[in-house]
Amino acid sequence: MADISLPRRLPERRAALISFGLIVLIWIAARQFDLVDRRFLPSPLEILERLRYELTQGTILGDIGATLWRNLIGFGIGAGAGLALGAALGLSRGFAAVIGPTVVAQRQTALFAWVPLLAMWFGGNDTGKIAFIAVAAFQPVVINTWQGFAQVPQTYRELSEALLFRRRDYIRLVALPAALPAIFTGLHGGLIYAWLATVGSELFLNIAPGLGGRLSEGSQLFHIDLLFLTILIFALIGLAYNSLAERAETLLVKWKRP
């Protein structure tokens, strides 16, 4: 399977690069021929100049650091709680019968509906932002971890009982390896949700150092080059997260392959 799938990725990457190049060309043409009001669409060179200014005299590196700090702390708390609760739900039918409906109900609640409540509980500063990010990361992780442990094949359970595995041995040698693909799917989703929540928390809660604050600054002061630069940074970090998650899942698949 590896010999078949690898060549297919090369044309896909070329197509992605070509589409990106076309977008940049259209962007340049729109500015060059005044197809769009210059006040609403900066040129790529203006964005590069803004980046140079921010790196030499601005605060963009500190803002990136503040945003990543909130994101990673919130993701760590939410994913850790999701893994623990999801494993408990998947390994205990009785516990799932009692707690499971509440978890499902929480999953059905729109993510941004939690913002007013969390702002009241934790305030709009870093604690409130991290709490919101943690809730976002928790949702996909707990559901996928629960499903991963709950859907361990019955034959695996019966075999572990026949071999007289202790509970911890069953979890370590049977249940956890079988649940890992679902767990990684949940962690991947949690990473994406946490990043979206990071953007939302910095925009909707109190303005503080971070990329969301720079978005607000660009909007209020009509610095369109800063707006575009910040959006591009958000996109690049999100792509990096997604790439890291996909690589981790690929390594997992190779590890599980006989």
Side-chain angles (χ1 to χ4, degrees):
M1 293 296 293
D3 294 335
I4 297 175
S5 61
L6 284 176
R8 290 180 179 176
R9 292 186 179 180
L10 295 177
E12 290 175 358
R13 290 176 180 174
R14 290 196 193 101
L17 289 174
I18 291 172
S19 66
F20 178 76
L22 287 174
I23 291 172
V24 173
L25 287 175
I26 293 171
W27 183 357
I28 294 173
R31 277 300 310 267
Q32 186 68 26
F33 297 103
D34 291 328
L35 300 177
V36 180
D37 192 325
R38 292 175 178 266
R39 294 174 299 173
F40 302 109
L41 183 67
S43 70
L45 290 178
E46 288 174 337
I47 295 176
L48 288 176
E49 178 60 26
R50 181 72 193 212
L51 175 61
R52 186 198 65 78
Y53 171 81
E54 288 292 337
L55 291 176
T56 56
Q57 303 179 48
T59 62
I60 198 69
L61 292 179
D63 294 316
I64 293 173
T67 294
L68 289 176
W69 176 79
R70 295 185 190 105
N71 174 255
L72 293 175
I73 295 295
F75 173 75
I77 294 172
L83 287 171
L85 182 57
L89 290 165
L91 293 169
S92 174
R93 293 182 180 178
F95 185 70
V98 176
I99 303 298
T102 302
V103 174
V104 173
Q106 187 266 346
R107 181 69 179 87
Q108 301 305 315
T109 305
L111 180 59
F112 283 92
W114 292 97
V115 172
L117 180 62
L118 294 175
M120 289 182 62
W121 283 354
F122 300 104
N125 295 319
D126 280 345
T127 304
K129 293 180 176 70
I130 290 171
F132 179 57
I133 296 166
V135 169
F138 171 83
Q139 291 182 342
V141 173
V142 68
I143 295 296
N144 282 277
T145 303
W146 178 7
Q147 292 177 346
F149 278 103
Q151 293 175 0
V152 174
Q154 184 62 29
T155 53
Y156 289 10
R157 301 172 188 266
E158 294 173 355
L159 180 60
S160 65
E161 291 174 0
L163 295 174
L164 301 178
F165 278 7
R166 290 178 295 180
R167 182 68 170 173
R168 65 182 181 182
D169 292 329
Y170 164 74
I171 295 173
R172 180 171 59 90
L173 300 175
V174 179
L176 181 58
L180 273 179
I183 291 174
F184 266 83
T185 299
L187 289 172
H188 192 171
L191 198 61
I192 295 171
Y193 273 58
W195 187 238
L196 295 175
T198 302
V199 180
S201 67
E202 292 187 345
L203 283 174
F204 297 128
L205 297 176
N206 292 346
I207 295 177
L211 292 174
R214 301 311 302 276
L215 280 177
S216 297
E217 176 189 339
S219 175
Q220 293 173 6
L221 300 179
F222 212 81
H223 290 170
I224 194 67
D225 54 345
L226 177 59
L227 273 175
F228 270 77
L229 174 62
T230 308
I231 291 170
L232 287 172
I233 292 172
F234 270 124
L236 290 173
I237 295 175
L239 286 173
Y241 275 160
N242 190 62
S243 178
L244 288 173
E246 288 180 349
R247 287 180 180 274
E249 289 187 59
T250 301
L251 290 174
L252 172 66
V253 171
K254 289 181 179 179
W255 172 72
K256 287 179 66 65
R257 185 178 296 153

